[in-house]
């Protein structure tokens, strides 16, 4: 299956899941679960520290490109290990069909640490933003390749209403321009081409000069060495998101500590 067909399959499954969830549990700003959600932890602010690249450490059990990574680790244990070893924030995959995640994993991870937590999923509907907020998410991922301009702008408006940050994920200059035009304040450059599943750090390095200084810049995918982190920091990135490299290690927390030491 090609990357493009994988993305299409994920989006089809996601829309079906959202339709079912919305019918089963209507969520919006006035829903008790949203009103009673814990206070938002500042996500974007946690990613900016002059002179040091911050790490968003990810809980990721499996992926379409790699298959099973680590399905035996509890989200709470992983979140505690990441916090103890220098993560600035936590990312949690909540897509079940393709990544083995669940929204409950985010709830568990957030309860186990004091760091801001990103819901990483294929968000295509406002209902998912409210679901994320009800679960305690401090930020959500919006993927430019999966959204039309009007959808992206609308979902960014919903994140502002919900009080959560949004990383708008891009892969090329056209998507970056779309993200900036929509008003994104945090941009994530995915080094994995969702159409082919190929990975190259050159994607981030090529786009870095086009990201305005006032926009928080995050590099995603394909980062497994301290040298990678240093190169990206020198190019202007504020933070990196690392998942597979950490989760594939015998001890994800220790792997994070080594990565940060190598990057220093």
């Amino acid at each position: 299956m090609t990357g493009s067909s994988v993305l299409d399959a994920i989006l089809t499954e996601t829309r079906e899941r959202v339709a079912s969830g919305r019918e089963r549990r209507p969520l919006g700003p006035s829903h008790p679960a949203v009103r009673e959600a814990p206070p938002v932890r500042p996500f974007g602010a946690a990613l900016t520290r002059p002179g040091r690249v911050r790490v968003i450490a990810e809980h990721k059990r499996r992926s379409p490109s790699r298959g099973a990574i680590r399905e035996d680790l509890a989200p709470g244990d992983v979140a505690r290990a990441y916090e103890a070893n220098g993560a600035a924030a936590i990312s949690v995959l909540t897509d079940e069909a393709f990544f083995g995640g669940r929204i409950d994993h985010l709830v568990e991870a957030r309860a186990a640490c004091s760091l801001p937590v990103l819901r990483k999923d294929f968000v295509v509907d406002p209902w998912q933003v409210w679901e994320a907020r009800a679960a305690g998410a401090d930020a959500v991922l919006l993927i430019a390749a999966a959204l039309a301009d009007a959808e992206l702008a609308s979902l960014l408006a919903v994140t502002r209403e919900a009080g959560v940050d949004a990383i708008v994920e891009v892969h090329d200059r056209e998507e970056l321009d779309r993200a900036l035009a929509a008003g994104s304040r945090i941009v994530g450059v995915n080094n994995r081409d969702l159409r082919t599943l190929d990975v190259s750090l050159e994607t981030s390095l090529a786009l870095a000069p086009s990201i305005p200084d006032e926009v928080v810049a995050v590099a995603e995918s394909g980062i497994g060495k301290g040298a990678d982190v240093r190169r990206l920091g020198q190019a202007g990135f504020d933070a990196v998101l690392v998942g597979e490299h950490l989760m594939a290690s015998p001890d994800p927390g220790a792997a994070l500590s080594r990565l940060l030491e190598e990057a220093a």
Side-chain angles (χ1 to χ4, degrees):
M1 187 179 285
T2 66
S4 181
S5 59
V6 168
L7 179 60
D8 289 343
I10 290 173
L11 294 176
T12 297
E13 191 280 334
T14 298
R15 292 187 181 99
E16 293 172 355
R17 169 166 49 93
V18 168
S20 173
R22 195 170 49 218
E23 183 176 338
R24 185 178 66 254
R25 189 191 186 202
L27 288 168
S30 61
H31 193 283
V34 173
R35 293 202 311 266
E36 296 165 11
V40 173
R41 299 168 181 168
F43 182 80
L47 306 184
T48 55
R49 181 176 173 182
R52 181 179 177 185
V53 180
R54 310 292 274 166
V55 174
I56 306 168
E58 186 163 85
H59 180 269
K60 180 179 184 179
R61 291 192 165 189
R62 59 184 302 111
S63 75
S65 60
R66 182 164 178 162
I69 302 170
R70 286 294 292 278
E71 299 183 316
D72 60 321
L73 298 178
D77 292 341
V78 173
R80 278 188 289 270
Y82 283 157
E83 181 173 31
N85 286 280
I90 306 292
S91 171
V92 180
L93 260 296
T94 61
D95 173 87
E96 184 166 8
F98 293 86
F99 291 86
R102 296 196 306 272
I103 194 73
D104 290 349
H105 291 169
L106 186 145
V107 176
E108 293 172 33
R110 195 183 191 279
C113 71
S114 62
L115 299 177
V117 178
L118 166 72
R119 179 190 189 175
K120 195 170 180 192
D121 207 317
F122 295 80
V123 175
V124 295
D125 190 280
W127 181 84
Q128 292 167 283
V129 177
W130 297 114
E131 182 189 36
R133 184 67 198 101
D138 306 293
V140 298
L141 182 76
L142 303 177
I143 301 174
L147 301 166
D149 289 349
E151 292 173 318
L152 178 57
S154 176
L155 286 168
L156 278 170
V158 175
T159 64
R160 290 191 290 271
E161 183 183 2
V164 299
D165 282 327
I167 295 184
V168 178
E169 180 179 291
V170 306
H171 181 72
D172 55 31
R173 181 58 189 267
E174 179 186 1
E175 291 178 359
L176 174 59
D177 289 345
R178 291 177 55 220
L180 297 175
S184 174
R185 308 310 300 164
I186 309 174
V187 166
V189 180
N190 192 349
N191 294 308
R192 175 175 285 108
D193 187 336
L194 294 179
R195 298 166 185 84
T196 64
L197 300 182
D198 293 337
V199 180
S200 172
L201 286 186
E202 296 303 319
T203 301
S204 284
L205 297 172
L207 288 181
S210 302
I211 302 175
D213 290 343
E214 66 272 18
V215 173
V216 178
V218 181
E220 310 170 351
S221 301
I223 299 157
K225 298 180 293 189
D228 297 336
V229 178
R230 284 197 303 274
R231 283 185 74 196
L232 292 163
Q234 290 164 0
F237 282 90
D238 300 291
V240 295
L241 190 151
V242 187
E244 288 188 15
H245 170 71
L246 302 179
M247 289 294 289
S249 303
D251 183 335
L256 173 60
S257 179
R258 284 193 300 274
L259 182 69
L260 289 170
E261 287 173 7
E262 293 170 0

